[in-house]
Structure formats: C-alpha cells, structure tokens
Amino acid sequence: MGASDLINLSGLIDDAKCFALVRQHRWPEGACCPVCDSGAVIRDGYDDTQPYRQRYRCKACAGRFDDLTGTVLSGHHQPLRVWVLCLYFMCLNLSNRQIALELGLDASDVQAMTEQLRRGLVAKAPEVELGGEVEIDEVYVVAGHKGQPKEVAKRGGSGAAAGWQARRDAARWRRTNHPSSA
Ligand SMILES: [Zn+2]
C-alpha cells in the first residue's frame, strides 16, 4: 500500500460493509424481487467484478437482480463506497465543491451524484424490463438535517406520503450510519 492509499478516504472504506448497508436499508425484511415483489428469492453468487455485490434469482418470475439493481447506485462508474462517502458528506452539510475535493472527483460528477441521491436511493427505473409504472422504495437525505423532520418533509417530500416516507427512511439511514448520535 502506497502513501497515497493511506490519505485516500475511500481506500479506507470497507466494501463488504457498504453492500451490507444497502441491503439493510433496501430490504430490512430480506431481499425481494424488484420485478414481482416476491420474497421467494435465492442467492445466486456474486458479481463478477464486485466481490461483495450479491446476486439473486427470483423463484416466482425467474428474474435476476443484485443488491444495486434498480437503484441510482447501479450502472454508475463510481464504486459503491464513493457513493456512501458522498452521502455521508451530504449529511455533514458539505458543499458539492468540498465533497469533490474530499473524494478527488470533478465537481460536476459530484453535482450529478448528490442530485441523484436527493431524488432517492431506489427511485431510478429498474434495469429489468418492466411494463407500466413501478416504484420500489425511496429515500431522501437532506444535507444539514438535524432532527427537524418537518424541514425534511418540506424540502424533500412531494406530498404527505412522501414526507412520511422521507422521515422514516431518513431515520433509518441515521440509525444505520450514526448509531452513536441516535
Ligand atoms: Zn420476481
């Protein structure tokens, strides 16, 4: 390990824990199929290039998916740990420019990432072929939120239901990430 690895924050992050974090947030009751919503899924090995990215097969519809399928975190050139750090910095109320400096990324890349994260972790259309409109889950993370759920609902939610879900998911995210401050 070179000296540059030691000062690169993302190099210190545990990939396995990042994927565990996504699974815990996305499927607190256990993995279920993003196509047919069935819980009858079996684990089907790991991604060829990302050794902690669990693959699944749905016994109900025979669909295949993995931990990141249908999330903004999939199909992006940034590794999951960079997304997790980006989210963490957003929670610390860092600007896009500061986040870009910390992560060694272009400000425009960070801008795109924070916009996507604010829109929702699992708000993107799944990669699997689907008909009609499908909504799986959503999470809003509002930078600088410090125990003011009404502000979260105002800024992040697009309605009463969205506000409720935003508060619930924000709380879950905080519990997951900042157990000491809960
Ligand atoms: Zn299915």
Side-chain angles (χ1 to χ4, degrees):
M1 186 185 281
S4 61
D5 291 326
L6 292 173
I7 54 164
N8 181 341
L9 195 54
S10 97
L12 301 172
I13 301 292
D14 186 324
D15 274 329
K17 283 184 185 164
C18 287
F19 281 97
L21 182 71
V22 169
R23 282 194 288 271
Q24 189 183 16
H25 171 80
R26 186 177 186 187
W27 297 305
E29 320 287 333
C32 62
C33 176
V35 178
C36 71
D37 215 27
S38 167
V41 300
I42 51 172
R43 285 198 279 264
D44 189 24
Y46 289 91
D47 185 82
D48 294 332
T49 55
Q50 297 173 277
Y52 300 103
R53 184 169 171 173
Q54 177 78 56
R55 291 189 305 211
Y56 308 87
R57 196 147 39 88
C58 175
K59 290 205 278 186
C61 76
R64 289 165 186 275
F65 59 100
D66 66 36
D67 287 334
L68 305 186
T69 301
T71 76
V72 296
L73 312 168
S74 74
H76 200 281
H77 64 280
Q78 299 298 346
L80 180 58
R81 61 178 181 274
V82 172
W83 283 97
V84 168
L85 279 173
C86 183
L87 198 50
Y88 182 78
F89 288 138
M90 284 167 72
C91 292
L92 294 180
N93 215 8
L94 262 61
S95 69
N96 286 345
R97 206 178 68 84
Q98 288 171 308
I99 295 174
L101 283 174
E102 289 294 335
L103 296 177
L105 299 174
D106 286 345
S108 59
D109 280 350
V110 169
Q111 167 99 21
M113 290 170 75
T114 55
E115 279 174 12
Q116 284 182 302
L117 286 168
R118 285 199 181 90
R119 234 175 280 147
L121 192 62
V122 193
K124 200 186 85 174
E127 288 164 347
V128 229
E129 280 293 314
L130 290 172
E133 198 172 312
V134 177
E135 186 176 322
I136 300 165
D137 194 4
E138 56 185 328
V139 58
Y140 291 100
V141 177
V142 178
H145 165 53
K146 296 260 194 299
Q148 296 175 47
K150 279 180 188 154
E151 287 303 307
V152 175
K154 248 187 276 171
R155 287 191 283 174
S158 54
W164 178 85
Q165 190 155 29
R167 290 194 295 277
R168 189 200 64 180
D169 286 345
R172 184 184 296 155
W173 183 266
R174 280 197 306 278
R175 278 200 303 279
T176 310
N177 290 287
H178 309 290
S180 57
S181 66

